[in-house]
Each structure stands twice: as C-alpha cells, then as structure tokens.
Amino acid sequence: DGGITQSPKYLFRKEGQNVTLSCEQNLNHDAMYWYRQDPGQGLRLIYYSQIVNDFQKGDIAEGYSVSREKKESFPLTVTSAQKNPTAFYLCASKASGRADTQYFGPGTRLTVL
Amino acid sequence: QQQVKQSPQSLIVQKGGISIINCAYENTAFDYFPWYQQFPGKGPALLIAIRPDVSEKKEGRFTISFNKSAKQFSLHIMDSQPGDSATYFCAASRETSGSRLTFGEGTQLTVNP
C-alpha cells in the first residue's frame, strides 16, 4: 500500500533532550512537509522540502531541525531549544506539479515530561 | 501576513441538517483552496478543493462556494450525518510558494443523531 508512515505514534521526552520524529513516504512525492498542531490553532508549518538535499523554514522553525537525504524520508528533530514542544506533529507529502493535494501521515503525539 | 480566518470554531447540527463553515483570506495571490477533514488522533485527509476560476464545486454531499471579490469561501455539508462529526480545516496556497498551505484554525463539527 502506498502512503505516509510516521513513527512512533506516541513519544515522551524529558526536558533538555533532543528527539527525532520519523516520516517515510512511498508515494514517490518530491515535496514533504512538517506541521505542528495545537488545539484551536490549526496546523502551522515547521519546515518543508521540495527536493532532496534542500529544505526551507516554515512559520515556526525555531527549535527544530530537518534533513532530506533521501526522497522518501524527511525526519524532524525537536531540539531542547524548542520551549514548548508538547504537540501533535504531522508530516505530509505532495507530488510535483500543479496538483496541490498534500497527503498527511497519521501523526506523532509528543509529550514533554 | 498570509492568514486564513475560519469560523465558527465549533458547530452542532442535527442529523439531516446543513453544516456551513466559512473562511476568509487576505492574500489575493492564493490560487488553491482545499478543505481537510480530520478525525481525532488521525492525520487530516483532503475532502474537496477549488481553484478561483470557478465559483462552486460539488462532490456528493460536500460543496465549496467561492467568492473571489469578497475573498471568502465556504464548505456546505448537505444532509449532515453523525459520521461527519470531525474537525474541518480550510486552507489556501499559491503555486509559486512551494505549495505551502496556510490553514484556518479549524471547526469542530458535531452532528447529533
């Protein structure tokens, strides 16, 4: 089955620790995105990548880092510099071209203890 | 700032009724307007989308109405069903921006049986 997988589904972290969230897609999509979702605030863009080895900051990139070494993978690291990391994190991907449908993964819920 | 304002924040409708969710945008360069449906603990899924060259698009019980001059668009759910209970997000993007979506704050729809 084609789709986007995110792991783990739930993640707990102690303050001061970095943590990496996984996102893999087998849709052969060029573009990938990371969003953060908080109650009542919709989805906010953290980082996005339109091609391998290239990525751009979104609206709330501070305290996060990404890499795009492979087309199918776009991991997100939540660093200790992120002051309020507890949230639901969503990864999405999109094919190149005019069709703008972004397909979302199931999400990772990160809780900082 | 490229904002999308969504209302209402929550909506309760009786089974068989019409659900209406409204969005307004500021950036006239936006050229793609999708609606996403999200169930608790899941990633959003594309429901229906429209481009500004048409004023209305219908897919089954779901209709988008688009008013370019007012910079507003809305989602109408006809014959609402309890299974439609979910959070709905409007969004907007422009092709030249890497197709990064700007989301509204979301509407939590409850359809009572």
Side-chain angles (χ1 to χ4, degrees), chain B residues 64-96:
Chain B
I64 298 179
S65 296
F66 185 81
N67 186 328
K68 188 175 182 178
S69 61
K71 294 188 287 185
Q72 295 176 348
F73 59 110
S74 60
L75 175 69
H76 296 234
I77 305 174
M78 310 299 289
D79 187 27
S80 298
Q81 299 296 312
D84 297 331
S85 297
T87 300
Y88 293 81
F89 292 96
C90 63
S93 73
R94 55 190 177 100
E95 186 180 6
T96 56

PDB file of all heavy atoms in Angstrom, chain B residues 64-96:
ATOM      1  N   ILE B  64     -18.176  23.381  -2.131  1.00  0.00           N
ATOM      2  CA  ILE B  64     -17.426  24.601  -1.833  1.00  0.00           C
ATOM      3  C   ILE B  64     -18.052  25.725  -2.642  1.00  0.00           C
ATOM      4  O   ILE B  64     -18.223  25.607  -3.859  1.00  0.00           O
ATOM      5  CB  ILE B  64     -15.943  24.487  -2.216  1.00  0.00           C
ATOM      6  CG1 ILE B  64     -15.239  23.380  -1.442  1.00  0.00           C
ATOM      7  CG2 ILE B  64     -15.239  25.814  -1.935  1.00  0.00           C
ATOM      8  CD1 ILE B  64     -13.778  23.235  -1.834  1.00  0.00           C
ATOM      9  N   SER B  65     -18.323  26.843  -1.950  1.00  0.00           N
ATOM     10  CA  SER B  65     -18.729  28.073  -2.622  1.00  0.00           C
ATOM     11  C   SER B  65     -17.597  29.066  -2.498  1.00  0.00           C
ATOM     12  O   SER B  65     -17.035  29.239  -1.412  1.00  0.00           O
ATOM     13  CB  SER B  65     -19.997  28.644  -1.976  1.00  0.00           C
ATOM     14  OG  SER B  65     -21.072  27.746  -2.152  1.00  0.00           O
ATOM     15  N   PHE B  66     -17.264  29.708  -3.612  1.00  0.00           N
ATOM     16  CA  PHE B  66     -16.094  30.587  -3.639  1.00  0.00           C
ATOM     17  C   PHE B  66     -16.501  31.963  -4.130  1.00  0.00           C
ATOM     18  O   PHE B  66     -17.132  32.101  -5.192  1.00  0.00           O
ATOM     19  CB  PHE B  66     -15.016  29.985  -4.543  1.00  0.00           C
ATOM     20  CG  PHE B  66     -13.729  30.747  -4.545  1.00  0.00           C
ATOM     21  CD1 PHE B  66     -12.806  30.573  -3.537  1.00  0.00           C
ATOM     22  CD2 PHE B  66     -13.435  31.647  -5.555  1.00  0.00           C
ATOM     23  CE1 PHE B  66     -11.614  31.277  -3.523  1.00  0.00           C
ATOM     24  CE2 PHE B  66     -12.248  32.353  -5.557  1.00  0.00           C
ATOM     25  CZ  PHE B  66     -11.335  32.160  -4.538  1.00  0.00           C
ATOM     26  N   ASN B  67     -16.142  33.014  -3.372  1.00  0.00           N
ATOM     27  CA  ASN B  67     -16.435  34.398  -3.743  1.00  0.00           C
ATOM     28  C   ASN B  67     -15.112  35.142  -3.831  1.00  0.00           C
ATOM     29  O   ASN B  67     -14.567  35.589  -2.829  1.00  0.00           O
ATOM     30  CB  ASN B  67     -17.356  35.039  -2.706  1.00  0.00           C
ATOM     31  CG  ASN B  67     -17.811  36.431  -3.129  1.00  0.00           C
ATOM     32  OD1 ASN B  67     -17.088  37.164  -3.814  1.00  0.00           O
ATOM     33  ND2 ASN B  67     -19.014  36.800  -2.723  1.00  0.00           N
ATOM     34  N   LYS B  68     -14.602  35.273  -5.055  1.00  0.00           N
ATOM     35  CA  LYS B  68     -13.280  35.854  -5.260  1.00  0.00           C
ATOM     36  C   LYS B  68     -13.243  37.322  -4.845  1.00  0.00           C
ATOM     37  O   LYS B  68     -12.277  37.775  -4.231  1.00  0.00           O
ATOM     38  CB  LYS B  68     -12.860  35.706  -6.717  1.00  0.00           C
ATOM     39  CG  LYS B  68     -11.438  36.101  -7.013  1.00  0.00           C
ATOM     40  CD  LYS B  68     -11.075  35.796  -8.453  1.00  0.00           C
ATOM     41  CE  LYS B  68      -9.626  36.145  -8.743  1.00  0.00           C
ATOM     42  NZ  LYS B  68      -9.250  35.802 -10.143  1.00  0.00           N
ATOM     43  N   SER B  69     -14.275  38.087  -5.165  1.00  0.00           N
ATOM     44  CA  SER B  69     -14.265  39.521  -4.855  1.00  0.00           C
ATOM     45  C   SER B  69     -14.290  39.771  -3.344  1.00  0.00           C
ATOM     46  O   SER B  69     -13.675  40.703  -2.847  1.00  0.00           O
ATOM     47  CB  SER B  69     -15.446  40.224  -5.523  1.00  0.00           C
ATOM     48  OG  SER B  69     -16.678  39.685  -5.054  1.00  0.00           O
ATOM     49  N   ALA B  70     -14.975  38.917  -2.615  1.00  0.00           N
ATOM     50  CA  ALA B  70     -15.042  39.049  -1.163  1.00  0.00           C
ATOM     51  C   ALA B  70     -13.902  38.330  -0.466  1.00  0.00           C
ATOM     52  O   ALA B  70     -13.751  38.449   0.761  1.00  0.00           O
ATOM     53  CB  ALA B  70     -16.381  38.516  -0.653  1.00  0.00           C
ATOM     54  N   LYS B  71     -13.119  37.569  -1.209  1.00  0.00           N
ATOM     55  CA  LYS B  71     -12.024  36.760  -0.656  1.00  0.00           C
ATOM     56  C   LYS B  71     -12.540  35.837   0.441  1.00  0.00           C
ATOM     57  O   LYS B  71     -11.995  35.779   1.559  1.00  0.00           O
ATOM     58  CB  LYS B  71     -10.890  37.662  -0.157  1.00  0.00           C
ATOM     59  CG  LYS B  71     -10.205  38.434  -1.294  1.00  0.00           C
ATOM     60  CD  LYS B  71      -8.965  39.170  -0.828  1.00  0.00           C
ATOM     61  CE  LYS B  71      -9.337  40.370   0.011  1.00  0.00           C
ATOM     62  NZ  LYS B  71      -8.156  41.188   0.385  1.00  0.00           N
ATOM     63  N   GLN B  72     -13.613  35.128   0.102  1.00  0.00           N
ATOM     64  CA  GLN B  72     -14.230  34.210   1.046  1.00  0.00           C
ATOM     65  C   GLN B  72     -14.575  32.906   0.338  1.00  0.00           C
ATOM     66  O   GLN B  72     -14.877  32.900  -0.858  1.00  0.00           O
ATOM     67  CB  GLN B  72     -15.496  34.825   1.650  1.00  0.00           C
ATOM     68  CG  GLN B  72     -15.245  36.054   2.498  1.00  0.00           C
ATOM     69  CD  GLN B  72     -16.535  36.682   2.993  1.00  0.00           C
ATOM     70  OE1 GLN B  72     -17.628  36.355   2.549  1.00  0.00           O
ATOM     71  NE2 GLN B  72     -16.402  37.600   3.948  1.00  0.00           N
ATOM     72  N   PHE B  73     -14.547  31.832   1.090  1.00  0.00           N
ATOM     73  CA  PHE B  73     -15.015  30.560   0.575  1.00  0.00           C
ATOM     74  C   PHE B  73     -15.615  29.764   1.730  1.00  0.00           C
ATOM     75  O   PHE B  73     -15.264  29.987   2.894  1.00  0.00           O
ATOM     76  CB  PHE B  73     -13.911  29.784  -0.163  1.00  0.00           C
ATOM     77  CG  PHE B  73     -12.688  29.460   0.662  1.00  0.00           C
ATOM     78  CD1 PHE B  73     -12.437  28.155   1.039  1.00  0.00           C
ATOM     79  CD2 PHE B  73     -11.770  30.441   1.000  1.00  0.00           C
ATOM     80  CE1 PHE B  73     -11.297  27.831   1.762  1.00  0.00           C
ATOM     81  CE2 PHE B  73     -10.635  30.133   1.737  1.00  0.00           C
ATOM     82  CZ  PHE B  73     -10.396  28.828   2.109  1.00  0.00           C
ATOM     83  N   SER B  74     -16.528  28.893   1.393  1.00  0.00           N
ATOM     84  CA  SER B  74     -17.238  28.177   2.435  1.00  0.00           C
ATOM     85  C   SER B  74     -17.470  26.721   2.038  1.00  0.00           C
ATOM     86  O   SER B  74     -17.490  26.382   0.858  1.00  0.00           O
ATOM     87  CB  SER B  74     -18.575  28.848   2.736  1.00  0.00           C
ATOM     88  OG  SER B  74     -19.393  28.879   1.589  1.00  0.00           O
ATOM     89  N   LEU B  75     -17.625  25.901   3.058  1.00  0.00           N
ATOM     90  CA  LEU B  75     -17.938  24.478   2.879  1.00  0.00           C
ATOM     91  C   LEU B  75     -19.366  24.243   3.357  1.00  0.00           C
ATOM     92  O   LEU B  75     -19.720  24.640   4.465  1.00  0.00           O
ATOM     93  CB  LEU B  75     -16.965  23.619   3.692  1.00  0.00           C
ATOM     94  CG  LEU B  75     -17.246  22.112   3.685  1.00  0.00           C
ATOM     95  CD1 LEU B  75     -16.970  21.517   2.305  1.00  0.00           C
ATOM     96  CD2 LEU B  75     -16.407  21.407   4.750  1.00  0.00           C
ATOM     97  N   HIS B  76     -20.154  23.609   2.499  1.00  0.00           N
ATOM     98  CA  HIS B  76     -21.515  23.240   2.850  1.00  0.00           C
ATOM     99  C   HIS B  76     -21.611  21.711   2.861  1.00  0.00           C
ATOM    100  O   HIS B  76     -21.225  21.067   1.870  1.00  0.00           O
ATOM    101  CB  HIS B  76     -22.520  23.791   1.833  1.00  0.00           C
ATOM    102  CG  HIS B  76     -22.568  25.285   1.801  1.00  0.00           C
ATOM    103  ND1 HIS B  76     -23.745  25.996   1.967  1.00  0.00           N
ATOM    104  CD2 HIS B  76     -21.599  26.206   1.633  1.00  0.00           C
ATOM    105  CE1 HIS B  76     -23.482  27.288   1.887  1.00  0.00           C
ATOM    106  NE2 HIS B  76     -22.205  27.447   1.692  1.00  0.00           N
ATOM    107  N   ILE B  77     -22.096  21.171   3.963  1.00  0.00           N
ATOM    108  CA  ILE B  77     -22.314  19.733   4.055  1.00  0.00           C
ATOM    109  C   ILE B  77     -23.824  19.506   4.114  1.00  0.00           C
ATOM    110  O   ILE B  77     -24.469  19.872   5.097  1.00  0.00           O
ATOM    111  CB  ILE B  77     -21.634  19.123   5.291  1.00  0.00           C
ATOM    112  CG1 ILE B  77     -20.139  19.478   5.305  1.00  0.00           C
ATOM    113  CG2 ILE B  77     -21.817  17.597   5.293  1.00  0.00           C
ATOM    114  CD1 ILE B  77     -19.425  19.031   6.569  1.00  0.00           C
ATOM    115  N   MET B  78     -24.354  18.957   3.048  1.00  0.00           N
ATOM    116  CA  MET B  78     -25.786  18.705   2.982  1.00  0.00           C
ATOM    117  C   MET B  78     -26.105  17.379   3.674  1.00  0.00           C
ATOM    118  O   MET B  78     -25.267  16.470   3.716  1.00  0.00           O
ATOM    119  CB  MET B  78     -26.237  18.645   1.520  1.00  0.00           C
ATOM    120  CG  MET B  78     -25.775  19.813   0.672  1.00  0.00           C
ATOM    121  SD  MET B  78     -26.394  21.391   1.262  1.00  0.00           S
ATOM    122  CE  MET B  78     -28.130  21.202   0.825  1.00  0.00           C
ATOM    123  N   ASP B  79     -27.336  17.276   4.191  1.00  0.00           N
ATOM    124  CA  ASP B  79     -27.779  16.018   4.823  1.00  0.00           C
ATOM    125  C   ASP B  79     -26.701  15.510   5.788  1.00  0.00           C
ATOM    126  O   ASP B  79     -26.242  14.367   5.680  1.00  0.00           O
ATOM    127  CB  ASP B  79     -28.094  14.980   3.750  1.00  0.00           C
ATOM    128  CG  ASP B  79     -28.725  13.718   4.309  1.00  0.00           C
ATOM    129  OD1 ASP B  79     -29.368  13.789   5.358  1.00  0.00           O
ATOM    130  OD2 ASP B  79     -28.542  12.647   3.677  1.00  0.00           O
ATOM    131  N   SER B  80     -26.291  16.351   6.711  1.00  0.00           N
ATOM    132  CA  SER B  80     -25.197  16.003   7.631  1.00  0.00           C
ATOM    133  C   SER B  80     -25.515  14.723   8.408  1.00  0.00           C
ATOM    134  O   SER B  80     -26.656  14.495   8.837  1.00  0.00           O
ATOM    135  CB  SER B  80     -24.962  17.157   8.606  1.00  0.00           C
ATOM    136  OG  SER B  80     -24.577  18.321   7.910  1.00  0.00           O
ATOM    137  N   GLN B  81     -24.482  13.901   8.573  1.00  0.00           N
ATOM    138  CA  GLN B  81     -24.613  12.612   9.246  1.00  0.00           C
ATOM    139  C   GLN B  81     -23.690  12.561  10.470  1.00  0.00           C
ATOM    140  O   GLN B  81     -22.661  13.231  10.504  1.00  0.00           O
ATOM    141  CB  GLN B  81     -24.260  11.482   8.288  1.00  0.00           C
ATOM    142  CG  GLN B  81     -25.136  11.404   7.059  1.00  0.00           C
ATOM    143  CD  GLN B  81     -26.591  11.105   7.410  1.00  0.00           C
ATOM    144  OE1 GLN B  81     -26.866  10.180   8.193  1.00  0.00           O
ATOM    145  NE2 GLN B  81     -27.514  11.871   6.854  1.00  0.00           N
ATOM    146  N   PRO B  82     -24.036  11.730  11.461  1.00  0.00           N
ATOM    147  CA  PRO B  82     -23.145  11.611  12.631  1.00  0.00           C
ATOM    148  C   PRO B  82     -21.711  11.244  12.257  1.00  0.00           C
ATOM    149  O   PRO B  82     -20.761  11.670  12.932  1.00  0.00           O
ATOM    150  CB  PRO B  82     -23.815  10.509  13.452  1.00  0.00           C
ATOM    151  CG  PRO B  82     -25.270  10.628  13.117  1.00  0.00           C
ATOM    152  CD  PRO B  82     -25.298  11.008  11.646  1.00  0.00           C
ATOM    153  N   GLY B  83     -21.528  10.486  11.195  1.00  0.00           N
ATOM    154  CA  GLY B  83     -20.188  10.131  10.724  1.00  0.00           C
ATOM    155  C   GLY B  83     -19.407  11.298  10.181  1.00  0.00           C
ATOM    156  O   GLY B  83     -18.188  11.189   9.974  1.00  0.00           O
ATOM    157  N   ASP B  84     -20.076  12.437   9.948  1.00  0.00           N
ATOM    158  CA  ASP B  84     -19.388  13.649   9.510  1.00  0.00           C
ATOM    159  C   ASP B  84     -18.757  14.392  10.685  1.00  0.00           C
ATOM    160  O   ASP B  84     -18.015  15.365  10.479  1.00  0.00           O
ATOM    161  CB  ASP B  84     -20.370  14.599   8.811  1.00  0.00           C
ATOM    162  CG  ASP B  84     -20.954  14.004   7.545  1.00  0.00           C
ATOM    163  OD1 ASP B  84     -20.283  13.172   6.904  1.00  0.00           O
ATOM    164  OD2 ASP B  84     -22.107  14.375   7.191  1.00  0.00           O
ATOM    165  N   SER B  85     -19.067  13.973  11.905  1.00  0.00           N
ATOM    166  CA  SER B  85     -18.511  14.634  13.085  1.00  0.00           C
ATOM    167  C   SER B  85     -16.992  14.524  13.059  1.00  0.00           C
ATOM    168  O   SER B  85     -16.421  13.429  13.096  1.00  0.00           O
ATOM    169  CB  SER B  85     -19.067  14.000  14.364  1.00  0.00           C
ATOM    170  OG  SER B  85     -20.471  14.177  14.429  1.00  0.00           O
ATOM    171  N   ALA B  86     -16.336  15.663  12.979  1.00  0.00           N
ATOM    172  CA  ALA B  86     -14.881  15.722  12.815  1.00  0.00           C
ATOM    173  C   ALA B  86     -14.474  17.186  12.908  1.00  0.00           C
ATOM    174  O   ALA B  86     -15.310  18.075  13.063  1.00  0.00           O
ATOM    175  CB  ALA B  86     -14.466  15.145  11.455  1.00  0.00           C
ATOM    176  N   THR B  87     -13.184  17.428  12.792  1.00  0.00           N
ATOM    177  CA  THR B  87     -12.684  18.794  12.681  1.00  0.00           C
ATOM    178  C   THR B  87     -12.373  19.085  11.230  1.00  0.00           C
ATOM    179  O   THR B  87     -11.745  18.264  10.547  1.00  0.00           O
ATOM    180  CB  THR B  87     -11.425  18.987  13.546  1.00  0.00           C
ATOM    181  OG1 THR B  87     -11.748  18.712  14.909  1.00  0.00           O
ATOM    182  CG2 THR B  87     -10.925  20.421  13.441  1.00  0.00           C
ATOM    183  N   TYR B  88     -12.833  20.224  10.763  1.00  0.00           N
ATOM    184  CA  TYR B  88     -12.648  20.624   9.368  1.00  0.00           C
ATOM    185  C   TYR B  88     -11.727  21.844   9.299  1.00  0.00           C
ATOM    186  O   TYR B  88     -11.887  22.796  10.058  1.00  0.00           O
ATOM    187  CB  TYR B  88     -13.994  20.946   8.729  1.00  0.00           C
ATOM    188  CG  TYR B  88     -14.865  19.710   8.593  1.00  0.00           C
ATOM    189  CD1 TYR B  88     -15.593  19.229   9.670  1.00  0.00           C
ATOM    190  CD2 TYR B  88     -14.904  18.997   7.402  1.00  0.00           C
ATOM    191  CE1 TYR B  88     -16.367  18.076   9.562  1.00  0.00           C
ATOM    192  CE2 TYR B  88     -15.678  17.850   7.283  1.00  0.00           C
ATOM    193  CZ  TYR B  88     -16.386  17.395   8.373  1.00  0.00           C
ATOM    194  OH  TYR B  88     -17.140  16.245   8.276  1.00  0.00           O
ATOM    195  N   PHE B  89     -10.772  21.766   8.391  1.00  0.00           N
ATOM    196  CA  PHE B  89      -9.835  22.862   8.188  1.00  0.00           C
ATOM    197  C   PHE B  89      -9.939  23.363   6.754  1.00  0.00           C
ATOM    198  O   PHE B  89      -9.901  22.567   5.805  1.00  0.00           O
ATOM    199  CB  PHE B  89      -8.394  22.391   8.413  1.00  0.00           C
ATOM    200  CG  PHE B  89      -8.065  22.031   9.826  1.00  0.00           C
ATOM    201  CD1 PHE B  89      -8.130  20.718  10.247  1.00  0.00           C
ATOM    202  CD2 PHE B  89      -7.688  23.008  10.740  1.00  0.00           C
ATOM    203  CE1 PHE B  89      -7.829  20.364  11.552  1.00  0.00           C
ATOM    204  CE2 PHE B  89      -7.377  22.662  12.048  1.00  0.00           C
ATOM    205  CZ  PHE B  89      -7.448  21.347  12.459  1.00  0.00           C
ATOM    206  N   CYS B  90     -10.043  24.670   6.597  1.00  0.00           N
ATOM    207  CA  CYS B  90      -9.842  25.247   5.280  1.00  0.00           C
ATOM    208  C   CYS B  90      -8.367  25.613   5.154  1.00  0.00           C
ATOM    209  O   CYS B  90      -7.657  25.733   6.156  1.00  0.00           O
ATOM    210  CB  CYS B  90     -10.729  26.470   5.060  1.00  0.00           C
ATOM    211  SG  CYS B  90     -10.391  27.857   6.171  1.00  0.00           S
ATOM    212  N   ALA B  91      -7.921  25.777   3.940  1.00  0.00           N
ATOM    213  CA  ALA B  91      -6.524  26.135   3.695  1.00  0.00           C
ATOM    214  C   ALA B  91      -6.427  26.868   2.370  1.00  0.00           C
ATOM    215  O   ALA B  91      -7.373  26.879   1.567  1.00  0.00           O
ATOM    216  CB  ALA B  91      -5.631  24.891   3.697  1.00  0.00           C
ATOM    217  N   ALA B  92      -5.274  27.485   2.160  1.00  0.00           N
ATOM    218  CA  ALA B  92      -5.023  28.193   0.908  1.00  0.00           C
ATOM    219  C   ALA B  92      -3.543  28.123   0.584  1.00  0.00           C
ATOM    220  O   ALA B  92      -2.704  28.050   1.494  1.00  0.00           O
ATOM    221  CB  ALA B  92      -5.487  29.643   1.018  1.00  0.00           C
ATOM    222  N   SER B  93      -3.247  28.131  -0.702  1.00  0.00           N
ATOM    223  CA  SER B  93      -1.841  28.133  -1.109  1.00  0.00           C
ATOM    224  C   SER B  93      -1.707  28.822  -2.460  1.00  0.00           C
ATOM    225  O   SER B  93      -2.684  29.044  -3.176  1.00  0.00           O
ATOM    226  CB  SER B  93      -1.287  26.713  -1.187  1.00  0.00           C
ATOM    227  OG  SER B  93      -1.804  26.029  -2.311  1.00  0.00           O
ATOM    228  N   ARG B  94      -0.481  29.148  -2.803  1.00  0.00           N
ATOM    229  CA  ARG B  94      -0.194  29.654  -4.152  1.00  0.00           C
ATOM    230  C   ARG B  94       0.941  28.846  -4.741  1.00  0.00           C
ATOM    231  O   ARG B  94       1.888  28.512  -4.055  1.00  0.00           O
ATOM    232  CB  ARG B  94       0.122  31.137  -4.156  1.00  0.00           C
ATOM    233  CG  ARG B  94       1.235  31.581  -3.243  1.00  0.00           C
ATOM    234  CD  ARG B  94       1.262  33.113  -3.166  1.00  0.00           C
ATOM    235  NE  ARG B  94       2.289  33.585  -2.243  1.00  0.00           N
ATOM    236  CZ  ARG B  94       3.477  34.033  -2.632  1.00  0.00           C
ATOM    237  NH1 ARG B  94       3.792  34.086  -3.903  1.00  0.00           N
ATOM    238  NH2 ARG B  94       4.354  34.449  -1.739  1.00  0.00           N
ATOM    239  N   GLU B  95       0.811  28.542  -5.996  1.00  0.00           N
ATOM    240  CA  GLU B  95       1.688  27.583  -6.646  1.00  0.00           C
ATOM    241  C   GLU B  95       3.146  27.977  -6.557  1.00  0.00           C
ATOM    242  O   GLU B  95       4.025  27.153  -6.393  1.00  0.00           O
ATOM    243  CB  GLU B  95       1.285  27.430  -8.110  1.00  0.00           C
ATOM    244  CG  GLU B  95       2.042  26.340  -8.841  1.00  0.00           C
ATOM    245  CD  GLU B  95       1.616  26.235 -10.280  1.00  0.00           C
ATOM    246  OE1 GLU B  95       0.820  27.088 -10.721  1.00  0.00           O
ATOM    247  OE2 GLU B  95       2.081  25.319 -10.976  1.00  0.00           O
ATOM    248  N   THR B  96       3.451  29.265  -6.625  1.00  0.00           N
ATOM    249  CA  THR B  96       4.836  29.708  -6.675  1.00  0.00           C
ATOM    250  C   THR B  96       5.513  29.703  -5.314  1.00  0.00           C
ATOM    251  O   THR B  96       6.679  30.010  -5.207  1.00  0.00           O
ATOM    252  CB  THR B  96       4.925  31.118  -7.250  1.00  0.00           C
ATOM    253  OG1 THR B  96       4.098  31.996  -6.481  1.00  0.00           O
ATOM    254  CG2 THR B  96       4.465  31.143  -8.697  1.00  0.00           C
TER     255      THR B  96
END
